[in-house]
Amino acid sequence: MINELTPVQLRRTCNPDFMQCQNTSELAPLQEIIGQERAVRAMKFGLGIKNKGFNVYVAGYPGTGRTTAVKNFLEETAKNQPVPPDWCYVNNFNDEYTPKAIKLPSGKGKVFQKDMKNFVEETKRALRKAFESEDYAARRESTIKQVEAQRKALIDQLNVEAQKDSFVIQTSPIGLLIIPIIKGKPVTEPELLTMPQKVQSEIQEKREQLESKLRAAMRQFMDLDRKAHEEIDKLNKEIALFAIGNLVAEVTEQYKGFSDVAGYLKNVQEDILNNLAQFIKSPEETQQQTPFPLPWMREPSFKKYEVTVVVDNSEAKGAPVIMATNPTYPNLFGRIEKEAQFGALVTDFTMIRGGFLHKANGGYLIIPVEELLTNPFSYEGLKRALKSEHINIEELEERYGFLGTKSLKPEPIPLSVKVIIIGDPYLYQQLYMLDKEFNELFKVKAEFDTSMARTDECMENYGSFVCALCNKEGLKHLDGSGLAKLIEHSSRLADDQMKLSTRFSEVADIAREANFYAQQDNSEFVTGIHVKKAVEEKVYRSKMIQEKIQEMITRNFFLIDTMDEKVGQINGLSVASLGDFEFGMPSRVTVSVGLGREGIIDIEREAKMGGPIHTKGVLILSGYLNEKYAKDKPLNLTARLVFEQNYEGVEGDSASSTELYSILSNLSGLAIKQNLAVTGSVNQKGEVQAIGGVNQKIEGFFEVCKAKGLTGIQGVMIPASNVQNLMLKEEVVDAVKEGKFHLYSVKTIDEGIEVLTGVKAGVKGADGNFEEGSVNALVDKRLKEMADKLTHYSASMGEAKHKSED
């Protein structure tokens, strides 16, 4: 029974009045993810569970709106969550190479930075004022005078003892000198040498005794100097502490309850007291001492008291949602900047910069997996951070041993973040199989589907999606006919009458292009005419190659028959992809059959132009022939199959039924109608199975027939299971309505061969024979004849060989 399809079966149309409104502006804009219930449930689970390792891998193909949907979903979830704290780095006064991290409530980081800056400025003013006061000068003078008095008393005592022995002590640039006195006059060394030896010996002996006393006195002088320095230092610290004590107390009071800040302020105070000279000097004095007019040398460096804010959440509303668009290692984990000074690169804690992980800490981080994997060391670094639950800012060269120079090692910051990486399903499978740590760190998979059911609810959601798109981008809203055509196009993208595509980027592009044509027509709304034109124009921009191939067919460069009948020849259908555009094109499939035991030979495979799936499809043909015809005889034939004028290779099994029809035609001697093209795979039981690209294949043959001239008998035969995938363009549907083109669906090879030959396939009777005159009977008869001939030939060759041996 021949099953010809009706026009209604070729395209599922949409009623323009299904939304019960005039245009999409009357609808509520979409606020949630549609058509991805499985992914949404997985996302809610992954975001809700707080255990370690439950990060999320969002698997989906580009164009499904996965990135936008995930970001919007996270932002909606995050806005009701608490704002995470700020993080700052400050100087470590014990080891400047290991800056300390300080955690503060959100918004306090910048405040603390400003407070410290003001504190340093006020400290400078307060100290200069205190050390310029008369009180300080008087107390300092008093301290110095006391020490000088003790020093003078000691010197006077030495002089008294020296005078008793006829010596005098004089000061000189090189220290204290002991000068002998004879007859009231000091004696020089040359004069001393002219005196008798006995006198010299007496003077030298007394001098040595006096020098011993002088050395003891010198030690006392040093103790006095040390005491003077300590007294002055004590006085300075006392004055300084009195001057800045209230400032330190004020800042400490503001950050009461933050132990890290209290400890840091204590260290700052100690450092200021130990470096008072830096604060007391005026900028003018410092500038005079500095011979170089460099900015960082015009004033003593107070950078060590600055605060570096690496995470600032002062303007955040809820938990952060960060999209890592360029996840290089420095961008993810932060970096330590450097600046050039005198030809060398120098750095300090004020040049520490946070990365995406710092910004997302306490919230959510979205990373495209393709970019993560293509940036060296980023993926490994991310795994390390998630396992250790800390963020380490360090030089990449130092971590991997490429560079041995000393650099900063900031204190690690605790990490609490939910990482969502987005990629296609293939990369998920590869990471899961090849990386043992992946499934420990990304335990939740949220998979985005490429289609959803075409129900009334989903179509209403589609209308809301279009409404939101038009509002967001300022597009003209779609009326009922425009939205209906857009939904029909969505089903075409899904290649299914019962589905809608979730490749929202492509659907949105059609809406944008239709808006352009509506603007050209000065139309108030986008109508079905504009949507149809947008679809057609998009195809037209990309179909040049298809038209070139059609031209070559019409000019007989490629031999394709659309009329007459031929034995062992049939029109197969395939799909060519140009990346942004797919189209169907016919191919001539021929078969030659002869005696032999080689079975079915795939010329494409022999020429290494056939893929493994195509080879499997050809091997199935032998199984079918054996199952149906070789139960009472051996299958003795050699059949060679080929796609004529194919120069690019063949892959897939969608032409296996086509090849089988050509073999049956050759064996039966019945001609196949060349006005028909065929697609469909087959199993060993003769059932015709579904294939992909059915719409493109039908339209491809239709375009060829239209170019060569529609005769009213041309058409395509497809698997019955593919009828539900039909969303043909309206031109093909109209041609079927007018009887210019035909579509047939078949479930078995027997049904298909009847359509192609016009002869009954034939059923095997109780006697084991097929109906007389049927296709199967003719094939079976031919195979028996071939088996007998080959047996007779083998026997005669055996006798001839035996005689020659005798």
Side-chain angles (χ1 to χ4, degrees):
M1 178 179 177
I2 298 176
N3 183 26
E4 183 173 357
L5 301 179
T6 63
V8 177
Q9 296 175 283
L10 308 185
R11 180 184 179 91
R12 184 181 177 186
T13 57
C14 180
N15 186 351
D17 299 326
F18 82 96
M19 290 298 295
Q20 299 180 351
C21 62
Q22 296 298 317
N23 57 75
T24 55
S25 65
E26 301 175 15
L27 302 175
L30 186 67
Q31 301 293 336
E32 58 186 14
I33 302 174
I34 61 173
Q36 305 291 352
E37 289 77 12
R38 188 187 311 276
V40 170
R41 284 181 61 178
M43 287 287 295
K44 287 181 178 179
F45 169 75
L47 301 183
I49 190 168
K50 303 303 180 184
N51 300 74
K52 183 178 179 180
F54 283 86
N55 298 292
V56 184
Y57 185 106
V58 176
Y61 293 100
T64 55
R66 53 185 185 169
T67 302
T68 303
V70 167
K71 187 175 181 183
N72 292 341
F73 183 83
L74 291 177
E75 288 175 346
E76 188 67 23
T77 303
K79 69 181 182 181
N80 298 320
Q81 295 182 357
V83 180
D86 293 349
W87 283 94
C88 308
Y89 274 109
V90 296
N91 184 37
N92 183 350
F93 293 98
N94 297 321
D95 182 5
E96 62 180 3
Y97 289 100
T98 57
K100 290 185 175 181
I102 291 180
K103 182 173 85 169
L104 292 169
S106 59
K108 275 285 189 178
K110 278 190 172 180
V111 175
F112 182 51
Q113 184 184 51
K114 184 178 180 181
D115 287 345
M116 284 304 300
K117 183 178 180 180
N118 294 336
F119 168 76
V120 172
E121 292 299 323
E122 291 176 5
T123 296
K124 287 191 285 186
R125 288 194 294 269
L127 290 177
R128 286 169 185 164
K129 182 177 180 181
F131 283 96
E132 290 173 358
S133 65
E134 293 181 0
D135 178 62
Y136 169 74
R139 293 179 63 180
R140 187 175 189 277
E141 185 66 24
S142 173
T143 302
I144 294 174
K145 282 182 177 180
Q146 291 177 8
V147 174
E148 287 296 328
Q150 295 177 11
R151 185 185 182 93
K152 185 175 181 302
L154 186 59
I155 293 175
D156 290 344
Q157 183 181 351
L158 283 174
N159 272 324
V160 169
E161 293 182 5
Q163 287 175 2
K164 289 180 181 179
D165 294 328
S166 300
F167 284 93
V168 65
I169 296 176
Q170 292 183 350
T171 58
S172 71
I174 61 173
L176 296 177
L177 299 178
I178 300 175
I179 307 298
I181 300 295
I182 298 177
K183 296 181 181 181
K185 293 183 180 180
V187 179
T188 63
E189 286 298 322
E191 292 175 342
L192 183 61
L193 293 175
T194 61
M195 294 182 180
Q197 185 63 37
K198 183 179 180 180
V199 175
Q200 291 183 32
S201 298
E202 292 176 355
I203 293 175
Q204 183 62 28
E205 183 178 352
K206 292 180 180 179
R207 175 182 282 176
E208 290 177 356
Q209 293 175 359
L210 194 59
E211 283 178 350
S212 177
K213 295 179 181 180
L214 181 60
R215 282 194 293 270
M218 290 299 297
R219 285 193 292 272
Q220 294 181 11
F221 285 153
M222 292 176 64
D223 290 340
L224 287 175
D225 288 341
R226 188 181 301 110
K227 182 180 179 182
H229 180 76
E230 289 175 354
E231 290 293 328
I232 292 175
D233 188 54
K234 180 179 178 182
L235 174 64
N236 289 345
K237 289 184 177 181
E238 181 182 340
I239 295 296
L241 189 59
F242 179 79
I244 68 171
N246 62 325
L247 299 177
V248 176
E250 182 180 349
V251 179
T252 303
E253 180 65 24
Q254 291 179 13
Y255 296 91
K256 183 171 61 176
F258 302 108
S259 57
D260 291 341
V261 177
Y264 170 68
L265 291 174
K266 183 179 179 181
N267 292 335
V268 168
Q269 178 177 289
E270 291 177 359
D271 190 77
I272 291 174
L273 296 178
N274 292 330
N275 295 277
L276 288 173
Q278 176 179 322
F279 287 85
I280 297 173
K281 290 180 181 178
S282 65
E284 293 77 12
E285 292 175 338
T286 305
Q287 190 170 0
Q288 290 175 359
Q289 295 175 0
T290 304
F292 304 99
L294 299 176
W296 60 84
M297 299 189 70
R298 291 175 182 167
E299 187 176 356
S301 176
F302 295 98
K303 291 178 70 173
K304 59 182 176 180
Y305 305 116
E306 292 182 7
V307 174
T308 303
V309 181
V310 293
V311 179
D312 175 28
N313 289 314
S314 58
E315 298 181 1
K317 302 280 191 295
V321 177
I322 303 300
M323 183 72 188
T325 53
N326 182 27
T328 62
Y329 188 91
N331 286 350
L332 270 180
F333 305 99
R335 62 188 181 278
I336 302 172
E337 295 180 343
K338 299 177 178 62
E339 63 182 7
Q341 292 184 12
F342 300 110
L345 293 176
V346 297
T347 188
D348 56 52
F349 75 97
T350 63
M351 299 182 193
I352 299 174
R353 301 292 178 261
F356 290 131
L357 276 175
H358 294 86
K359 296 176 182 177
N361 201 6
Y364 307 96
L365 177 62
I366 307 171
I367 311 176
V369 69
E370 292 88 351
E371 296 186 29
L372 178 66
L373 296 176
T374 53
N375 279 289
F377 312 112
S378 293
Y379 178 59
E380 291 298 324
L382 178 64
K383 291 194 298 181
R384 190 180 301 110
L386 292 177
K387 285 188 293 184
S388 67
E389 297 183 310
H390 281 85
I391 312 173
N392 284 287
I393 303 178
E394 56 187 335
E395 298 287 351
L396 185 61
E397 301 87 348
E398 184 178 352
R399 167 171 282 280
Y400 291 96
F402 299 148
L403 193 64
T405 56
K406 194 170 185 180
S407 184
L408 298 182
K409 291 184 178 180
E411 180 183 358
I413 291 177
L415 177 64
S416 175
V417 67
K418 187 72 71 171
V419 177
I420 298 92
I421 58 176
I422 301 177
D424 63 49
Y426 173 76
L427 284 176
Y428 175 85
Q429 295 167 7
Q430 295 298 306
L431 288 170
Y432 194 91
M433 290 187 296
L434 301 176
D435 185 1
K436 295 180 181 179
E437 296 176 332
F438 175 77
N439 61 340
E440 293 296 325
L441 297 174
F442 295 91
K443 297 181 178 181
V444 181
K445 178 184 179 183
E447 192 159 15
F448 272 62
D449 199 353
T450 56
S451 62
M452 62 182 180
R454 184 173 166 176
T455 62
D456 291 341
E457 181 183 359
C458 289
M459 289 194 294
E460 291 174 3
N461 288 334
Y462 238 77
S464 298
F465 162 73
V466 174
C467 175
L469 176 69
C470 294
N471 290 342
K472 181 180 179 181
E473 301 188 10
L475 307 178
K476 291 179 181 291
H477 282 273
L478 279 68
D479 66 7
S481 65
L483 184 57
K485 288 298 181 186
L486 194 66
I487 287 176
E488 291 175 14
H489 178 67
S490 177
S491 288
R492 169 58 186 260
L493 290 176
D495 277 330
D496 196 325
Q497 295 180 354
M498 308 303 295
K499 299 286 185 180
L500 292 173
S501 174
T502 56
R503 289 184 284 175
F504 294 107
S505 63
E506 295 184 37
V507 176
D509 284 342
I510 293 297
R512 297 182 185 104
E513 293 178 29
N515 174 76
F516 171 77
Y517 296 118
Q519 289 177 335
Q520 286 190 328
D521 293 343
N522 294 320
S523 175
E524 183 179 1
F525 299 108
V526 176
T527 66
I529 296 174
H530 300 129
V531 175
K532 182 180 178 182
K533 185 175 182 181
V535 174
E536 291 175 347
E537 287 294 321
K538 186 172 184 178
V539 171
Y540 176 76
R541 293 194 297 269
S542 301
K543 66 180 298 187
M544 184 182 70
I545 300 298
Q546 182 185 11
E547 291 180 350
K548 294 287 186 183
I549 293 174
Q550 290 173 1
E551 180 185 359
M552 297 180 77
I553 292 174
T554 56
R555 296 176 62 186
N556 292 325
F557 289 108
F558 289 155
L559 300 179
I560 300 293
D561 290 331
T562 58
M563 297 176 63
D564 301 328
E565 298 179 355
K566 293 189 178 180
V567 176
Q569 177 178 306
I570 191 170
N571 291 324
L573 294 172
S574 60
V575 175
S577 176
L578 301 178
D580 63 331
F581 178 63
E582 293 181 343
F583 63 93
M585 58 182 184
S587 300
R588 175 181 286 183
V589 179
T590 62
V591 63
S592 62
V593 176
L595 292 178
R597 293 191 176 91
E598 297 178 46
I600 300 175
I601 299 173
D602 180 11
I603 293 179
E604 310 293 339
R605 178 189 178 189
E606 297 298 316
K608 297 182 179 179
M609 295 178 65
I613 298 176
H614 178 259
T615 299
K616 175 187 174 184
V618 174
L619 293 175
I620 287 174
L621 304 186
S622 298
Y624 173 82
L625 294 176
N626 275 294
E627 172 78 13
K628 196 151 192 171
Y629 305 110
K631 291 186 176 181
D632 57 352
K633 57 187 173 299
L635 196 63
N636 294 326
L637 85 162
T638 298
R640 288 177 169 81
L641 287 168
V642 69
F643 279 73
E644 304 288 0
Q645 294 184 289
N646 170 49
Y647 309 108
E648 296 181 352
V650 178
E651 177 60 316
D653 63 350
S654 65
S656 57
S657 68
T658 309
E659 295 167 327
L660 182 54
Y661 291 134
S662 65
I663 293 174
L664 296 178
S665 169
N666 193 298
L667 291 173
S668 66
L670 297 174
I672 289 178
K673 298 174 183 177
Q674 300 301 298
N675 54 287
L676 297 177
V678 181
T679 185
S681 69
V682 66
N683 61 28
Q684 293 187 112
K685 301 299 181 180
E687 296 172 317
V688 179
Q689 303 168 147
I691 45 82
V694 64
N695 291 295
Q696 290 84 355
K697 291 176 179 178
I698 294 171
E699 290 168 357
F701 190 66
F702 174 80
E703 294 286 347
V704 171
C705 293
K706 185 176 73 170
K708 299 189 77 168
L710 292 171
T711 61
I713 61 172
Q714 295 145 332
V716 176
M717 190 171 70
I718 65 172
S721 52
N722 276 125
V723 174
Q724 58 192 329
N725 300 115
L726 295 179
M727 283 299 296
L728 295 170
K729 60 184 183 180
E730 295 176 58
E731 183 184 8
V732 179
V733 178
D734 293 339
V736 173
K737 287 180 181 178
E738 297 170 6
K740 296 179 180 179
F741 199 71
H742 305 271
L743 287 175
Y744 306 92
S745 67
V746 295
K747 295 181 180 179
T748 64
I749 291 296
D750 285 349
E751 291 181 11
I753 199 66
E754 289 183 7
V755 175
L756 293 170
T757 62
V759 178
K760 191 174 182 180
V763 179
K764 184 177 287 189
D767 58 355
N769 296 320
F770 292 102
E771 298 175 54
E772 187 67 28
S774 65
V775 175
N776 288 327
L778 293 173
V779 172
D780 191 55
K781 180 181 178 182
R782 174 78 181 280
L783 289 173
K784 285 180 180 178
E785 292 173 354
M786 294 174 69
D788 292 341
K789 287 181 180 180
L790 189 59
T791 302
H792 176 73
Y793 176 77
S794 299
S796 60
M797 289 297 293
E799 291 177 4
K801 182 179 180 181
H802 182 71
K803 289 180 180 180
S804 65
E805 290 176 353
D806 291 343

